[in-house]
Amino acid sequence: MPSSVSAQPVIILVGTQLGENIGMCARAMLNCGLDQLRLVRPRDGWPNERARATAADADCVLENAKLYDNIDDAIGDCQRVFAATARQRSLRIPGLDLREAVREIVDASPPPKTAILFGPEASGLDNETLSRADRLIHFPTNPDFPSLNLAQAVLLFGWEWRQSSSVQSAPITSSDLPATREDTNAFLTRLEQALDESQFFVAEGQRPDTIRKLRAVLTRSNSSDDDLRMLHGVLTALIKK
Amino acid sequence: MPSSVSAQPVIILVGTQLGENIGMCARAMLNCGLDQLRLVRPRDGWPNERARATAADADCVLENAKLYDNIDDAIGDCQRVFAATARQRSLRIPGLDLREAVREIVDASPPPKTAILFGPEASGLDNETLSRADRLIHFPTNPDFPSLNLAQAVLLFGWEWRQSSSVQSAPITSSDLPATREDTNAFLTRLEQALDESQFFVAEGQRPDTIRKLRAVLTRSNSSDDDLRMLHGVLTALIKK
């Protein structure tokens, strides 16, 4: 069992509607030994009494939960981002079944700081958020009745993580970890500014789509700090004329 | 996936207190392709409106549920009985971790008719009932916070059963194939020329290393034709000044 907090995936609940569900997620997490919870814009506000009521004795997870205004801040210090989603989307992000995804998380060495995103109860994660993910996690449930509730999806993730990580061997170290999302975003922001200055966006509606695709390309590339330094250098050279 | 009903374990809820929990169990079962439910003396009577409310669209499981007065009738037609329990009791019944238990169930050939017993929410199964079991199933959760709610225990059983008994699920396919290496290289060549024109390569020795890194980033990004078109557009915009 990894004992250090850094090896533990961070559970990020994005736009959760009901406080009750946040409490049930906290309980399911602690059942599996997970206690790093982040919340992005929970609909009913935070802190939330109803969350406390359903958390059973997992209040400690709620008390330590961190609240964020937007997804980029929530994943800013993370190096790998996985997103739970029921459907395959068009972003060309590799999809894995839950057990394979957990194996990839547990086998990574040294362990990168990893976030697992779960979307709102009714709609799931939108494309804007999914474009931040390295991997989509698919839950192979009954195709005729696939829909898990939020806390059950979190439970299954936690369960698989606990089952896999309890047999994990000692990590081998390497200095070549992926860059953090904060640093990746800083590059994207700079690129967007450069494109603005070049009047790249003829129609304003083109902007979000292009940025989303660029983000997806960069995310899939799994670039390191060293790669990002090089990309900054390339961008500087290209725009200096 | 075993399709015959006889190969499916029967879920037996013994003395369940809340109708809501029976509904949530039905939903969790159907998520995993299980639909054989039996109820022994549910405290709040049967049928139960609250069960229907929490079953989402898994009403069919509730409608087909069979009601029993006592455990012996409920397991009468079964050949193997497993009992979910949080604690190890003194009955000297062999205990297995959930995953091992499921493997034993799935590997049995020919498949015996198997029942899985789950006890009341507050107390779990009593010794009188446990004494009917061939095996006790233990859920290896966090020892400092082990208690699963009823529907979550049923979900974990169903999940493990589905994972073990399903033939490898079909891979998630995407219609959007990666670009050919030829097209990827064409972009890299164009980028290299642009960098040349910007006097990016101060020392000539820097060139192969940079190109190799850029190629690695682009390769890992697994970009499609559509992505490459966008990247060409971005490059055109950046160098046009």
PDB file of all heavy atoms in Angstrom, chain A residues 118-132:
ATOM      1  N   PHE A 118     -14.312  13.465 -12.214  1.00  0.00           N
ATOM      2  CA  PHE A 118     -15.676  12.931 -12.313  1.00  0.00           C
ATOM      3  C   PHE A 118     -16.621  14.109 -12.533  1.00  0.00           C
ATOM      4  O   PHE A 118     -16.538  15.106 -11.820  1.00  0.00           O
ATOM      5  CB  PHE A 118     -16.065  12.197 -11.028  1.00  0.00           C
ATOM      6  CG  PHE A 118     -15.279  10.940 -10.766  1.00  0.00           C
ATOM      7  CD1 PHE A 118     -14.057  10.997 -10.109  1.00  0.00           C
ATOM      8  CD2 PHE A 118     -15.755   9.700 -11.185  1.00  0.00           C
ATOM      9  CE1 PHE A 118     -13.324   9.842  -9.873  1.00  0.00           C
ATOM     10  CE2 PHE A 118     -15.031   8.540 -10.949  1.00  0.00           C
ATOM     11  CZ  PHE A 118     -13.806   8.607 -10.282  1.00  0.00           C
ATOM     12  N   GLY A 119     -17.528  13.993 -13.490  1.00  0.00           N
ATOM     13  CA  GLY A 119     -18.380  15.116 -13.864  1.00  0.00           C
ATOM     14  C   GLY A 119     -19.683  15.203 -13.090  1.00  0.00           C
ATOM     15  O   GLY A 119     -19.934  14.423 -12.178  1.00  0.00           O
ATOM     16  N   PRO A 120     -20.535  16.154 -13.474  1.00  0.00           N
ATOM     17  CA  PRO A 120     -21.839  16.324 -12.828  1.00  0.00           C
ATOM     18  C   PRO A 120     -22.720  15.083 -13.024  1.00  0.00           C
ATOM     19  O   PRO A 120     -22.606  14.388 -14.035  1.00  0.00           O
ATOM     20  CB  PRO A 120     -22.454  17.522 -13.555  1.00  0.00           C
ATOM     21  CG  PRO A 120     -21.326  18.204 -14.249  1.00  0.00           C
ATOM     22  CD  PRO A 120     -20.311  17.146 -14.528  1.00  0.00           C
ATOM     23  N   GLU A 121     -23.620  14.853 -12.071  1.00  0.00           N
ATOM     24  CA  GLU A 121     -24.445  13.657 -12.067  1.00  0.00           C
ATOM     25  C   GLU A 121     -25.223  13.480 -13.377  1.00  0.00           C
ATOM     26  O   GLU A 121     -25.249  12.389 -13.957  1.00  0.00           O
ATOM     27  CB  GLU A 121     -25.465  13.711 -10.915  1.00  0.00           C
ATOM     28  CG  GLU A 121     -24.868  13.640  -9.525  1.00  0.00           C
ATOM     29  CD  GLU A 121     -24.520  15.022  -8.975  1.00  0.00           C
ATOM     30  OE1 GLU A 121     -24.219  15.927  -9.783  1.00  0.00           O
ATOM     31  OE2 GLU A 121     -24.547  15.187  -7.751  1.00  0.00           O
ATOM     32  N   ALA A 122     -25.877  14.559 -13.822  1.00  0.00           N
ATOM     33  CA  ALA A 122     -26.795  14.397 -14.943  1.00  0.00           C
ATOM     34  C   ALA A 122     -26.071  14.299 -16.283  1.00  0.00           C
ATOM     35  O   ALA A 122     -26.412  13.474 -17.124  1.00  0.00           O
ATOM     36  CB  ALA A 122     -27.783  15.568 -14.977  1.00  0.00           C
ATOM     37  N   SER A 123     -25.050  15.105 -16.452  1.00  0.00           N
ATOM     38  CA  SER A 123     -24.497  15.268 -17.795  1.00  0.00           C
ATOM     39  C   SER A 123     -23.120  14.660 -17.994  1.00  0.00           C
ATOM     40  O   SER A 123     -22.691  14.436 -19.122  1.00  0.00           O
ATOM     41  CB  SER A 123     -24.402  16.764 -18.109  1.00  0.00           C
ATOM     42  OG  SER A 123     -23.652  17.404 -17.087  1.00  0.00           O
ATOM     43  N   GLY A 124     -22.393  14.401 -16.914  1.00  0.00           N
ATOM     44  CA  GLY A 124     -21.007  13.979 -17.067  1.00  0.00           C
ATOM     45  C   GLY A 124     -20.119  15.155 -17.471  1.00  0.00           C
ATOM     46  O   GLY A 124     -20.582  16.299 -17.538  1.00  0.00           O
ATOM     47  N   LEU A 125     -18.869  14.874 -17.738  1.00  0.00           N
ATOM     48  CA  LEU A 125     -17.899  15.920 -18.063  1.00  0.00           C
ATOM     49  C   LEU A 125     -18.121  16.446 -19.476  1.00  0.00           C
ATOM     50  O   LEU A 125     -18.387  15.675 -20.401  1.00  0.00           O
ATOM     51  CB  LEU A 125     -16.478  15.362 -17.941  1.00  0.00           C
ATOM     52  CG  LEU A 125     -16.023  15.005 -16.525  1.00  0.00           C
ATOM     53  CD1 LEU A 125     -14.785  14.106 -16.571  1.00  0.00           C
ATOM     54  CD2 LEU A 125     -15.742  16.260 -15.715  1.00  0.00           C
ATOM     55  N   ASP A 126     -17.987  17.767 -19.649  1.00  0.00           N
ATOM     56  CA  ASP A 126     -18.139  18.332 -20.992  1.00  0.00           C
ATOM     57  C   ASP A 126     -16.803  18.259 -21.747  1.00  0.00           C
ATOM     58  O   ASP A 126     -15.756  17.977 -21.164  1.00  0.00           O
ATOM     59  CB  ASP A 126     -18.670  19.765 -20.923  1.00  0.00           C
ATOM     60  CG  ASP A 126     -17.740  20.679 -20.130  1.00  0.00           C
ATOM     61  OD1 ASP A 126     -16.545  20.356 -19.966  1.00  0.00           O
ATOM     62  OD2 ASP A 126     -18.218  21.722 -19.674  1.00  0.00           O
ATOM     63  N   ASN A 127     -16.862  18.525 -23.045  1.00  0.00           N
ATOM     64  CA  ASN A 127     -15.651  18.400 -23.869  1.00  0.00           C
ATOM     65  C   ASN A 127     -14.556  19.356 -23.433  1.00  0.00           C
ATOM     66  O   ASN A 127     -13.367  19.042 -23.530  1.00  0.00           O
ATOM     67  CB  ASN A 127     -15.988  18.653 -25.341  1.00  0.00           C
ATOM     68  CG  ASN A 127     -16.515  17.396 -26.003  1.00  0.00           C
ATOM     69  OD1 ASN A 127     -16.480  16.315 -25.416  1.00  0.00           O
ATOM     70  ND2 ASN A 127     -17.000  17.533 -27.220  1.00  0.00           N
ATOM     71  N   GLU A 128     -14.965  20.543 -22.977  1.00  0.00           N
ATOM     72  CA  GLU A 128     -14.005  21.528 -22.535  1.00  0.00           C
ATOM     73  C   GLU A 128     -13.126  20.950 -21.417  1.00  0.00           C
ATOM     74  O   GLU A 128     -11.910  21.110 -21.407  1.00  0.00           O
ATOM     75  CB  GLU A 128     -14.784  22.755 -22.038  1.00  0.00           C
ATOM     76  CG  GLU A 128     -13.975  23.992 -21.829  1.00  0.00           C
ATOM     77  CD  GLU A 128     -13.174  24.396 -23.059  1.00  0.00           C
ATOM     78  OE1 GLU A 128     -13.657  24.211 -24.197  1.00  0.00           O
ATOM     79  OE2 GLU A 128     -12.034  24.861 -22.870  1.00  0.00           O
ATOM     80  N   THR A 129     -13.755  20.232 -20.497  1.00  0.00           N
ATOM     81  CA  THR A 129     -13.013  19.630 -19.388  1.00  0.00           C
ATOM     82  C   THR A 129     -12.270  18.374 -19.846  1.00  0.00           C
ATOM     83  O   THR A 129     -11.117  18.155 -19.483  1.00  0.00           O
ATOM     84  CB  THR A 129     -13.973  19.283 -18.233  1.00  0.00           C
ATOM     85  OG1 THR A 129     -14.716  20.451 -17.901  1.00  0.00           O
ATOM     86  CG2 THR A 129     -13.206  18.812 -17.010  1.00  0.00           C
ATOM     87  N   LEU A 130     -12.936  17.567 -20.666  1.00  0.00           N
ATOM     88  CA  LEU A 130     -12.293  16.329 -21.138  1.00  0.00           C
ATOM     89  C   LEU A 130     -11.011  16.617 -21.904  1.00  0.00           C
ATOM     90  O   LEU A 130     -10.084  15.808 -21.893  1.00  0.00           O
ATOM     91  CB  LEU A 130     -13.256  15.543 -22.032  1.00  0.00           C
ATOM     92  CG  LEU A 130     -14.402  14.824 -21.321  1.00  0.00           C
ATOM     93  CD1 LEU A 130     -15.336  14.205 -22.353  1.00  0.00           C
ATOM     94  CD2 LEU A 130     -13.891  13.762 -20.363  1.00  0.00           C
ATOM     95  N   SER A 131     -10.952  17.775 -22.555  1.00  0.00           N
ATOM     96  CA  SER A 131      -9.750  18.068 -23.349  1.00  0.00           C
ATOM     97  C   SER A 131      -8.517  18.215 -22.462  1.00  0.00           C
ATOM     98  O   SER A 131      -7.404  18.228 -22.953  1.00  0.00           O
ATOM     99  CB  SER A 131      -9.952  19.325 -24.195  1.00  0.00           C
ATOM    100  OG  SER A 131      -9.978  20.484 -23.395  1.00  0.00           O
ATOM    101  N   ARG A 132      -8.714  18.327 -21.149  1.00  0.00           N
ATOM    102  CA  ARG A 132      -7.574  18.373 -20.215  1.00  0.00           C
ATOM    103  C   ARG A 132      -7.023  16.990 -19.893  1.00  0.00           C
ATOM    104  O   ARG A 132      -5.999  16.871 -19.215  1.00  0.00           O
ATOM    105  CB  ARG A 132      -8.011  18.991 -18.882  1.00  0.00           C
ATOM    106  CG  ARG A 132      -7.824  20.488 -18.751  1.00  0.00           C
ATOM    107  CD  ARG A 132      -8.938  21.247 -19.368  1.00  0.00           C
ATOM    108  NE  ARG A 132      -8.773  22.693 -19.208  1.00  0.00           N
ATOM    109  CZ  ARG A 132      -9.394  23.582 -19.958  1.00  0.00           C
ATOM    110  NH1 ARG A 132     -10.200  23.193 -20.925  1.00  0.00           N
ATOM    111  NH2 ARG A 132      -9.205  24.858 -19.757  1.00  0.00           N
TER     112      ARG A 132
END
